[in-house]
Amino acid sequence: MAHARVDIRRNDTVRVITGRDKGKEGRVLRVFPNDGKVLVEHVMMVKKNVRPNPGKNIKGGVAEQESRISLSNVLLMCPSCGPARIGHELRGERKVRICKKCGTTLDK
Ligand SMILES: [Zn+2]
């Protein structure tokens, strides 16, 4: 990837902007910066066969699981105004992400 810096982090809320789940919003479960991918809760669900395991009380059958989507297919949501263009600002020693539209800090 040309852009190595990833501005999406775990527990961020993102909106899917393209593909099958376009328009869905969810929490970021994992970021894979080297692959440019994210795992978003309840997004890009795929069916997966699960083997029965009576020892763990698993019945087996088909389970649904998230699959990774490209970082370029999601936008970080600003809690105040919606899909954010991410900017950066120094707060003391710390660099935080801000929404360029309304100035809300996007980091907790
Ligand atoms: Zn905003």
Side-chain angles (χ1 to χ4, degrees), residues 18-77:
T18 184
R20 196 184 76 189
D21 282 340
K22 186 176 171 179
K24 271 198 190 176
E25 286 174 26
R27 189 168 59 92
V28 174
L29 302 173
R30 260 187 93 177
V31 182
F32 304 87
N34 296 331
D35 303 329
K37 304 246 179 187
V38 277
L39 206 58
V40 184
E41 196 171 36
H42 304 311
V43 165
M44 275 305 277
M45 301 302 285
V46 288
K47 288 190 165 55
K48 193 189 157 207
N49 288 308
V50 179
R51 283 190 199 176
N53 186 341
K56 286 183 180 167
N57 201 21
I58 295 169
K59 269 199 301 187
V62 180
E64 283 202 293
Q65 196 182 52
E66 286 90 357
S67 60
R68 308 191 306 173
I69 63 170
S70 176
L71 269 166
S72 58
N73 292 352
V74 301
L75 286 178
L76 180 61
M77 294 299 284

Side-chain angles (χ1 to χ4, degrees), residues 78 80-82 84 99 101-104:
C78 166
S80 309
C81 71
C99 170
K101 269 190 269 176
C102 69
T104 299

Side-chain angles (χ1 to χ4, degrees), residues 10-24:
R10 203 161 72 89
N11 288 327
D12 280 345
T13 299
V14 294
R15 179 183 286 177
V16 182
I17 51 166
T18 184
R20 196 184 76 189
D21 282 340
K22 186 176 171 179
K24 271 198 190 176

